[in-house]
Amino acid sequence: MMSYFSSRTISRTFTRSVTGPWNYVTGKRCDPSESLGSIKVTEPATGQVLCEVLRSGPLEVDHAVSSAKEVFSTWSKLSGRDRGQKLIKAGHIIRENLEDISKLEVRDTGKPIWEARVDIASCAEALEYYGGLAPAIIGQHVPLHGGSFAMVQRQPLGVIGGIGAWNFPMQTCVWKVAPALACGNTFVYKPSQFTPVTAVTLAEILTEAGVPDGVFNVIQGDGESGAKLCDHPDVAKLSFTGSISTGTKVMAAGSKGVKSVTLELGGKSPLIIFEDADMKNAVKATLMANFLSQGQVCSNGTRVFVQSSIASEFIKKLVDATKRLKLGDPFGEDTTVGATIHEEHAKKVLDFIASAKEEGARVLCGGERVIQPGKLRGGWYLSPAVLVNCKDQMKVVKEEVFGSVASVLEFDSEEEAVKRANDTDFGLAGGVFTKDIHRGHRVANAIEAGTVWINTYNLYPTEIPFGGYKHSGIGRENGHTAVDNFTQTRTIYVEMGNVDCGPLYQE
């Protein structure tokens, strides 16, 4: 008998090339029945057209939501174990096809192949984690006076509307879909218009794993398509990853429909390096905190606070390490920095660098477009930049650049570092480097952020929650916490004695 996970079985349903149609509704790829026009998606590595995607209009959004609503009663009534087994199977399929999916992700995003492999492996981890957790999503039995008791049940919300980001297109999708499906919800997802490819791949994988048709649907489009999804009356919850400006619109749509909302928004995170830090690890973490995914990471530690006594040595080592990064073909095994998502965004990053120089910052390395040879000539490759002489009020220090730009700032005391680190409207993440474990905990607890790393940076195990303070978002993804965001409770009180109504009733 052929194994369920054999490559021959999988290959019949898993599309391994950049091929449309790009919507996925009721268990199959499809074009929208009504289109608002098309979007030409460019491949970041080459600047050439990767695919053309039709924008979903109101009829197609309604079709997807109706599909999810129709199958909700069937999916939600399955046991947690049954749902979980299907998610675990999906995780196995991803692992069996890791290389092919990673290549699709590279073409979609322009990030290096080594990094895409890490991202896609994390998708398998999330599906396996929530697949294993699904049987444990249970309520409570609460004993009460006189033998009475209450049952507190965890119930799914219904149809979830998700909108994802372009920097980690499959990962941000799975972080929403895995816990939502584990809890018994169904889903309609709109990926970013810049990275439409791998959300549909995930849909095919879930179908192959046995998830019923309609449980997970994908609609493509831009902000208008997303707005139609947010406003749909049959969507019970909205989950969004992206910019603050769009996040506020999603939140407004949620409030209008009294929908639950989870937002994972931007960041301007501090990375504080004390004089007793392990210098080599601090430099490595700074590279991770600024140049991962071409700097296009919301949690990046782009405000690098370095204690003055070690600033000169640290800056020299950081610049040396940055210059050794290899910029180029994302499919090259030795490439460490790939292509920026598209021309408009690359020019925005370059404008931040120009503004920093006008305000007095010095660029010690990078910060320029590097023209690549041959077929890569049309891609926007920006050399990673290290800025010094930075001040807290500079635009590049205050605003989210979302590019390969590290701003180095010096500080003298712990109190000063914490105060300046918290002087921001953002609160997504932060990092502390010190060999003094007491100071590490003290500073980590003082930083106003949803995630703080001590002596590392930008690690996201599925087991721990991720999300922000202040303008960086509402709610959490990952960990057991995500279950709270995708369920609601129902309390059933069982009276085992006579009704006690005090003096209201007289014999």
Side-chain angles (χ1 to χ4, degrees):
M1 182 176 178
M2 183 179 294
S3 166
Y4 185 89
F5 298 115
S6 72
S7 59
R8 194 161 16 139
T9 300
I10 294 167
S11 65
R12 287 204 293 265
T13 58
F14 171 37
T15 305
R16 298 167 187 271
S17 60
V18 181
T19 306
W22 295 107
N23 280 14
Y24 197 93
V25 181
T26 320
K28 62 182 182 296
R29 283 180 180 252
C30 57
D31 286 324
S33 55
E34 171 200 46
S35 173
L36 300 177
S38 64
I39 301 169
K40 289 185 177 181
V41 181
T42 59
E43 182 175 6
T46 65
Q48 301 300 309
V49 174
L50 177 65
C51 59
E52 191 164 349
V53 174
L54 297 178
R55 297 161 57 215
S56 298
L59 287 178
E60 188 64 15
V61 172
D62 187 63
H63 180 204
V65 173
S66 297
S67 176
K69 183 180 179 181
E70 183 177 347
V71 76
F72 170 73
S73 60
T74 301
W75 179 248
S76 61
K77 285 183 173 62
L78 290 178
S79 70
R81 183 175 299 278
D82 287 341
R83 292 194 299 268
Q85 286 175 342
K86 299 180 192 308
L87 297 181
I88 291 170
K89 285 182 180 179
H92 284 300
I93 294 172
I94 289 175
R95 291 193 188 279
E96 291 287 328
N97 294 276
L98 182 66
E99 193 65 17
D100 285 341
I101 302 170
S102 297
K103 288 176 180 177
L104 291 175
E105 192 83 335
V106 170
R107 296 199 68 188
D108 218 11
T109 64
K111 65 178 58 182
I113 183 66
W114 69 268
E115 190 180 326
R117 291 182 185 121
V118 173
D119 293 352
I120 302 305
S122 75
C123 294
E125 291 169 4
L127 287 162
E128 291 162 355
Y129 173 80
Y130 285 107
L133 184 62
I137 300 173
I138 57 177
Q140 293 175 290
H141 174 271
V142 183
L144 300 170
H145 178 74
S148 297
F149 62 95
M151 296 181 292
V152 182
Q153 302 173 335
R154 279 195 179 275
Q155 298 291 323
L157 297 169
V159 179
I160 310 299
I163 300 175
W166 49 258
N167 54 342
F168 293 88
M170 190 164 178
Q171 186 188 75
T172 55
C173 180
V174 170
W175 280 11
K176 302 175 191 306
V177 172
L181 267 56
C183 292
N185 302 284
T186 55
F187 217 105
V188 178
Y189 186 76
K190 191 200 83 67
S192 166
Q193 66 266 34
F194 302 119
T195 51
V197 175
T198 48
V200 192
T201 302
L202 174 65
E204 291 179 312
I205 289 168
L206 289 169
T207 297
E208 178 68 19
V211 173
D213 294 348
V215 169
F216 177 60
N217 307 274
V218 178
I219 58 167
Q220 304 282 356
D222 53 13
E224 186 173 354
S225 303
K228 298 296 182 186
L229 178 60
C230 291
D231 289 336
H232 199 287
D234 290 333
V235 171
K237 174 186 169 64
L238 303 173
S239 180
F240 171 77
T241 299
S243 68
I244 289 178
S245 58
T246 304
T248 55
K249 296 175 183 177
V250 172
M251 190 171 182
S255 66
K256 184 170 60 177
V258 197
K259 307 176 193 288
S260 175
V261 177
T262 299
L263 304 174
E264 197 272 276
L265 307 177
K268 194 66 186 177
S269 303
L271 174 56
I272 303 174
I273 300 169
F274 287 97
E275 59 188 358
D276 67 338
D278 181 297
M279 184 71 72
K280 182 178 180 180
N281 280 328
V283 170
K284 288 163 64 178
T286 303
L287 298 177
M288 280 283 290
N290 285 275
F291 306 138
L292 187 71
S293 284
Q294 296 70 252
Q296 300 164 153
V297 182
C298 53
S299 60
N300 268 356
T302 53
R303 293 184 295 146
V304 185
F305 291 96
V306 184
Q307 200 151 22
S308 299
S309 57
I310 61 165
S312 295
E313 179 187 2
F314 173 83
I315 290 168
K316 181 181 184 305
K317 290 182 182 296
L318 175 61
V319 171
D320 288 345
T322 302
K323 288 180 177 178
R324 289 195 296 270
L325 297 174
K326 183 175 179 182
L327 183 71
D329 185 355
F331 283 105
E333 292 293 340
D334 59 346
T335 296
T336 48
V337 180
T340 301
I341 188 68
H342 54 66
E343 178 179 353
E344 182 181 352
H345 186 68
K347 288 181 176 178
K348 177 184 174 184
V349 174
L350 293 174
D351 285 345
F352 269 105
I353 296 171
S355 169
K357 291 194 287 188
E358 289 175 4
E359 293 184 83
R362 281 198 302 132
V363 181
L364 295 188
C365 66
E368 299 176 339
R369 183 186 183 189
V370 179
I371 303 295
Q372 300 295 318
K375 66 179 183 179
L376 305 179
R377 186 173 184 82
W380 280 79
Y381 295 81
L382 303 184
S383 53
V386 176
L387 309 185
V388 295
N389 289 354
C390 296
K391 306 299 179 186
D392 291 356
Q393 298 308 311
M394 288 180 175
K395 180 180 178 181
V396 74
V397 175
K398 290 182 69 67
E399 298 183 16
E400 187 175 34
V401 178
F402 224 60
S404 292
V405 181
S407 299
V408 180
L409 305 103
E410 298 184 25
F411 71 92
D412 293 316
S413 69
E414 177 184 318
E415 294 74 18
E416 175 197 349
V418 169
K419 182 179 180 180
R420 292 168 65 189
N422 289 334
D423 186 18
T424 175
D425 290 333
F426 296 99
L428 188 55
V432 183
F433 267 78
T434 176
K435 291 177 183 176
D436 183 341
I437 194 65
H438 299 286
R439 177 161 58 189
H441 278 281
R442 188 168 60 243
V443 173
N445 279 292
I447 293 176
E448 298 166 354
T451 300
V452 182
W453 292 278
I454 299 177
N455 294 331
T456 191
Y457 208 90
N458 265 346
L459 299 181
Y460 316 95
T462 308
E463 296 88 343
I464 61 177
F466 179 77
Y469 286 14
K470 298 188 272 191
H471 289 183
S472 288
I474 297 173
R476 295 293 182 268
E477 295 184 325
N478 289 347
H480 282 252
T481 308
V483 171
D484 295 331
N485 292 325
F486 287 107
T487 56
Q488 56 193 339
T489 59
R490 175 168 59 205
T491 299
I492 298 176
Y493 188 113
V494 180
E495 177 62 65
M496 299 299 290
N498 295 319
V499 174
D500 181 3
C501 65
L504 293 176
Y505 179 79
Q506 302 289 331
E507 291 284 357

